[in-house]
Amino acid sequence: MGSWDDLAAHHAGVKRRTLAELFENRSRSAEFSAHADGLLFDYSKTNIDATARGLLVRLAEDAGVAARRDAMFAGAKINETEGRAVLHTALRNLEGSVTVDGEDVMSAVRRVHDQMSDFARAVRDGSFAGQGGKITDVVNIGIGGSDLGPAMGAIALAPYADGPRTHFVSNVDPAHVHDILGPLDPATTLVIVASKTFTTQETMANADAARDWMAAGVKDPAAQFAAVSTALDKTSAFGIAEERVFGFADWVGGRYSMWGPIGLSLMLAVGPEHFDEFLAGGRAMDEHFLSTPFVDNLPVLLALVGIWHNQVCGHATRAVLPYDQHLSRLPAYLQQLEMESNGKSVAMDGETLARDSGPVVWGEPGTNGQHAFYQLIHQGTRVIPCEFLLGREGHEPELAPMHRLLAANCLAQSEALMKGRSLETARKMMEAKGLEGDELERQARHRVFPGNRPSTTLLYPKLTPFVLGQIIALYEHRVFVEGVILGINSFDQWGVELGKELAQTLVPMLENGADASAKDGSTRMLLDYLRG
Ligand code: F6P
């Protein structure tokens, strides 16, 4: 019997067991948790027991996770559909040595890292200035991986931000660029056009709009533009001087790119030293991932818990719930990382995937989510595994009592999800309120919590740049491990192409009434409405 069958059989035998029962094993929390450089990952509030864990670990072993991991770090072309290596890990391994096709790639990585650091220092100390003086604002124009990483990171590391203010424009909706640039002074603003391909429609439209805005305010608009891209010919065609172009190689996937020049806006905000601490945190997680046995390996454990819930238990979605306002954009960041990577129905070998693809990932920071969608998480008919994140301390020591409220809420939620509330307890509550008969029964039933709902909790000491690096690399590797187990190529994204192509055909129909007769009836009706 194969590992998937073993897991299904085991799950069938244990699915009626309550999570609370599992805690009759007094050492369960220690046995079903793991540490890495100050992080604690607790997965004891799941229905995974020693047998399930053994089977899941075997699944990872049989899928060749270790060999694939080593191949990735070594620069092998594991992104087979695009014929590329996958080396975002090289961007945070500045001391290391990595080759692709027999050629050292680290000298270029170090050179661009130094170029970024020099530029960031010059902007921050004013030796690179705008035409109206020291740069006060930096606008990053990019989308997807060229936006979400630095945008999420700039919020996450706001307590360390002592450089220019950072702003992020991504949507092609003109409202975005208009509303962001509106209050800024072009004479003291630096615009970074961040695009791996430098062809992305949204980014190029926003870059053009920003150039016009800049031209209306300063004599030499190009002097206050920088670019981050793999397409250096296109950046020079746009008119950006070579010394402000920060290149990277095609072996850095968009959604894995915040460690390199795509992170320039973050580096400008927090400074090169803090940025390097972020890289060091990512590197520490790489080392943990590379050297720790699977049963104690955080990325592998997160992946196995994910596989258990999604593939074995059949839970189609997963909520990411950071109890940390600074991680408010983490769910959005993870949506791209996880769903663009593992949302596929064809396996690496071209065959239809034998199983479901990766789960829907969604979430909001706690405690806000509690007052919005937690109702469904606690009492809805579908089980939604939850992933809580929480720091031991915040950056506001003067408000420490509030942080304790935050922590109490986080722990309360996972406890409530696990324990629930029985009908008997609910009846007693209603009795105490003086209710009786049918009304007592009716009211009691509404107050029942089924419980037995799984969650994990990731604790960290404090959201420093190092810890942010650990967390992001942890999730990257988790996605990788899940992808290998499912047989997916986690590093391409063909599923985003069709909509882009069709948008190109629709632009002339909207712009100058081009013939739309080849379109379907619905699209024609919508076009007619928009054309007025
Ligand atoms: O459309 C998807 C995508 O290709 C993402 O993978 C990528 O992060 C984003 O677009 C932006 O691409 P680029 O950096 O080339 O502008």
Side-chain angles (χ1 to χ4, degrees):
M1 204 161 46
S3 306
W4 286 113
D5 293 339
D6 292 347
L7 275 162
H10 179 67
H11 178 244
V14 300
K15 68 179 175 196
R16 311 231 168 274
R17 162 178 75 189
T18 66
L19 299 181
E21 269 171 63
L22 288 169
F23 280 89
E24 284 163 17
N25 167 10
R26 294 278 184 163
S27 51
R28 176 165 175 84
S29 53
E31 285 171 24
F32 292 85
S33 59
H35 296 258
D37 298 312
L39 305 185
L40 165 62
F41 176 59
D42 175 16
Y43 62 104
S44 61
K45 291 190 186 98
T46 68
N47 197 9
I48 294 175
D49 57 15
T51 306
R53 185 173 57 195
L55 290 171
L56 288 162
V57 166
R58 202 176 92 205
L59 196 66
E61 286 166 355
D62 292 352
V65 166
R68 202 80 183 160
R69 171 197 64 194
D70 295 346
M72 174 171 75
F73 277 87
K77 295 194 175 164
I78 65 162
N79 174 358
E80 294 175 18
T81 55
E82 295 182 309
R84 290 175 183 167
V86 174
L87 274 178
H88 49 280
T89 52
L91 300 175
R92 53 195 186 229
N93 183 17
L94 297 174
E95 311 292 314
S97 100
V98 183
T99 54
V100 175
D101 291 332
E103 283 195 25
D104 164 60
V105 296
M106 291 312 296
S107 49
V109 169
R110 280 188 282 268
R111 182 173 39 75
V112 176
H113 177 266
D114 290 348
Q115 184 198 359
M116 282 169 72
S117 306
D118 291 346
F119 183 62
R121 285 196 188 94
V123 170
R124 286 163 58 85
D125 70 16
S127 46
F128 174 92
Q131 286 151 75
K134 193 169 175 183
I135 296 292
T136 54
D137 296 88
V138 171
V139 179
N140 184 84
I141 294 181
I143 196 164
S146 299
D147 164 70
L148 287 162
M152 176 275 298
I155 298 172
L157 300 184
Y160 302 86
D162 54 2
R165 292 178 289 263
T166 44
H167 312 266
F168 295 87
V169 173
S170 50
N171 199 338
V172 77
D173 182 339
H176 202 184
V177 70
H178 173 271
D179 292 358
I180 294 284
L181 296 183
L184 305 184
D185 177 359
T188 57
T189 296
L190 171 73
V191 175
I192 302 173
V193 185
S195 173
K196 179 173 170 179
T197 54
F198 230 71
T199 55
T200 303
Q201 185 197 51
E202 293 92 329
T203 300
M204 298 330 292
N206 278 318
D208 287 343
R211 190 169 45 188
D212 292 347
W213 169 81
M214 187 75 87
V218 298
K219 271 207 190 108
D220 183 4
Q224 280 171 230
F225 268 73
V228 178
S229 187
T230 58
L232 304 187
D233 50 330
K234 298 197 173 71
T235 58
S236 72
F238 189 85
I240 301 177
E242 212 180 305
E243 70 266 19
R244 287 191 307 286
V245 174
F246 302 84
F248 61 106
D250 69 0
W251 40 253
V252 181
R255 54 196 174 273
Y256 300 86
S257 62
M258 69 178 294
W259 312 94
I262 291 289
L264 180 62
S265 49
L266 178 60
M267 188 192 262
L268 283 158
V270 302
E273 290 73 21
H274 285 135
F275 190 83
D276 286 356
E277 287 167 25
F278 165 69
L279 298 187
R283 179 67 200 151
M285 185 52 69
D286 291 343
E287 277 161 15
H288 169 87
F289 180 45
L290 280 164
S291 62
T292 311
F294 282 4
V295 74
D296 294 315
N297 192 308
L298 257 60
V300 174
L301 288 171
L302 257 80
L304 296 183
V305 173
I307 292 280
W308 170 259
H309 286 146
N310 183 31
Q311 301 290 335
V312 184
C313 306
H315 306 318
T317 86
R318 173 157 58 80
V320 179
L321 306 165
Y323 276 67
D324 193 326
Q325 188 61 26
H326 289 130
L327 289 180
S328 58
R329 289 294 282 165
L330 182 70
Y333 174 82
L334 292 180
Q335 285 183 327
Q336 189 201 19
L337 182 66
E338 305 213 20
M339 297 201 277
E340 198 166 79
S341 297
N342 288 346
K344 292 162 189 169
S345 42
V346 173
M348 186 73 96
D349 58 9
E351 295 298 321
T352 302
L353 206 66
R355 320 194 56 82
D356 277 333
S357 55
V360 175
V361 176
W362 59 283
E364 274 288 316
T367 58
N368 296 25
Q370 290 174 204
H371 299 271
F373 52 78
Y374 277 41
Q375 165 65 43
L376 180 138
I377 291 184
H378 283 288
Q379 287 189 318
T381 52
R382 295 185 185 88
V383 173
I384 298 167
C386 293
E387 229 164 70
F388 295 99
L389 294 98
L390 172 70
R392 188 191 292 131
E393 57 174 313
H395 289 84
E396 308 78 17
E398 70 287 4
L399 298 175
M402 287 182 72
H403 190 268
R404 286 193 282 277
L405 283 180
L406 178 76
N409 272 282
C410 181
L411 301 191
Q413 292 302 324
S414 65
E415 187 183 347
L417 285 166
M418 176 173 74
K419 290 189 181 155
R421 182 195 284 147
S422 67
L423 182 57
E424 212 183 345
T425 308
R427 280 190 187 123
K428 285 198 182 112
M429 284 168 59
M430 293 305 99
E431 264 168 31
K433 283 187 180 287
L435 266 60
E436 49 189 35
D438 287 352
E439 185 57 6
L440 179 147
E441 195 60 21
R442 191 167 71 90
Q443 292 291 350
R445 288 177 64 92
H446 285 283
R447 287 160 175 79
V448 170
F449 288 68
N452 215 21
R453 301 203 158 187
S455 69
T456 62
T457 303
L458 180 72
L459 295 184
Y460 45 89
K462 185 176 179 177
L463 193 62
T464 60
F466 185 88
V467 167
L468 181 69
Q470 288 177 292
I471 292 174
I472 300 306
L474 167 63
Y475 275 97
E476 285 178 349
H477 294 322
R478 178 253 191 98
V479 169
F480 167 77
V481 173
E482 287 200 26
V484 175
I485 291 174
L486 296 175
I488 282 173
N489 177 8
S490 301
F491 301 102
D492 62 12
Q493 57 282 319
W494 300 110
V496 300
E497 295 303 325
L498 181 57
K500 288 185 193 172
E501 285 164 25
L502 293 178
Q504 297 294 356
T505 68
L506 285 156
V507 172
M509 296 173 193
L510 284 159
E511 229 162 47
N512 47 33
D515 176 30
S517 56
K519 294 287 178 193
D520 60 89
S522 163
T523 307
R524 279 203 314 273
M525 177 182 71
L526 301 172
L527 275 169
D528 284 347
Y529 180 98
L530 291 170
R531 291 193 286 205

